[in-house]
Amino acid sequence: MKGWRSARATLIWVALALAIGVPIAKAAGSEQLAWRGPVYILAGFAGIIALGLVLVQPLLIGGYLPGLSAYRGRRAHHWIGGALALAVVIHVAGLWFTSPPDMIDALTFSSPTPFSPFGVTAMWAIFTVALLAALRRRLGLRLRTWRLIHVPLAIVIVAGSVVHCLLIEGTMETISKAVLCAAVLAATVKAMVDLQVWRKRRTLRGESIAPR
């Protein structure tokens, strides 16, 4: 039994590493990099890393990563959220440095490229979550209120990031990009379903033991 659990844990971590690492490796070997400047390349890889972090977040909050307690998973979720926001800042700042007019069009939702509005929407959702998480105690947000805010924003982040990534024809290889995006969607849906089921069970259990 212990051997199976150990093997399962190893498989989960390996699968996660491959889901994130393969797209990065494929992008690193893209022929298009020869025509890109270092700042643009940094911005592009920051975007790929950001998508990888979006995959990690539901896995952490859902408790699917072996070896992490619920408390450590929540703490890691918090800190990786900050890393995600930083990666997005690097992504946007690098693109702004290389082409300010394109970024102005993107940020004002006037860009002709179909992927821009999805990326910008996801970006603002990420910044909003990061800001609210940092100010949650000062604002006095209760857990229920925080969830009511965080969950819809998380859906916007995931949907916007995935569509943004899929619509871009850049350095990322098609199949590995699609697999990463599918993994992000699957992990997010599973985490939300499982956590919702857990809350319902807790509510039903509380009702069943309540005095009548």
Side-chain angles (χ1 to χ4, degrees), residues 108-130:
T108 56
F109 293 95
S110 57
S111 175
T113 55
F115 55 80
S116 292
F118 296 99
V120 172
T121 301
M123 177 194 74
W124 287 121
I126 289 170
F127 290 163
T128 301
V129 171

Side-chain angles (χ1 to χ4, degrees), residues 21-31 33 45 171-174 176:
V22 171
I24 293 176
K26 291 286 187 179
S30 173
E31 296 179 353
L33 294 181
F45 278 92
T171 57
M172 292 188 74
E173 187 268 334
T174 304
S176 60

Side-chain angles (χ1 to χ4, degrees), residues 1-211:
M1 190 66 178
K2 290 183 178 179
W4 161 244
R5 289 180 179 177
S6 178
R8 180 175 177 273
T10 301
L11 286 174
I12 291 174
W13 283 107
V14 169
L16 177 60
L18 289 174
I20 299 174
V22 171
I24 293 176
K26 291 286 187 179
S30 173
E31 296 179 353
Q32 296 188 32
L33 294 181
W35 311 101
R36 306 296 190 184
V39 176
Y40 191 94
I41 292 173
L42 175 63
F45 278 92
I48 300 174
I49 292 171
L51 185 60
L53 295 178
V54 173
L55 169 60
V56 174
Q57 288 294 70
L59 296 176
L60 285 170
I61 205 65
Y64 306 129
L65 296 180
L68 293 177
S69 64
Y71 172 77
R72 289 184 177 180
R74 289 193 299 270
R75 295 302 298 169
H77 181 83
H78 175 82
W79 286 106
I80 289 180
L84 171 59
L86 177 60
V88 172
V89 169
I90 295 173
H91 179 63
V92 173
L95 295 177
W96 179 282
F97 181 85
T98 56
S99 182
D102 289 339
M103 283 307 303
I104 291 175
D105 287 344
L107 293 173
T108 56
F109 293 95
S110 57
S111 175
T113 55
F115 55 80
S116 292
F118 296 99
V120 172
T121 301
M123 177 194 74
W124 287 121
I126 289 170
F127 290 163
T128 301
V129 171
L131 181 62
L132 288 176
L135 300 177
R136 180 181 165 189
R137 291 185 178 179
R138 292 185 181 182
L139 295 175
L141 294 178
R142 296 180 179 180
L143 181 59
R144 179 179 177 82
T145 304
W146 168 245
R147 284 174 175 168
L148 288 175
I149 297 172
H150 185 24
V151 171
L153 287 173
I155 294 174
V156 171
I157 291 169
V158 169
S161 299
V162 167
V163 176
H164 177 69
C165 180
L166 290 175
L167 289 178
I168 294 177
E169 296 182 2
T171 57
M172 292 188 74
E173 187 268 334
T174 304
I175 296 177
S176 60
K177 176 173 69 174
V179 170
L180 176 57
C181 290
V184 170
L185 291 175
T188 302
V189 171
K190 178 171 175 53
M192 289 188 173
V193 170
D194 288 352
L195 291 175
Q196 185 64 30
V197 169
W198 179 77
R199 291 194 197 104
K200 287 182 178 180
R201 287 178 178 175
R202 183 178 63 178
T203 301
L204 291 175
R205 189 181 301 113
E207 292 176 353
S208 65
I209 63 176

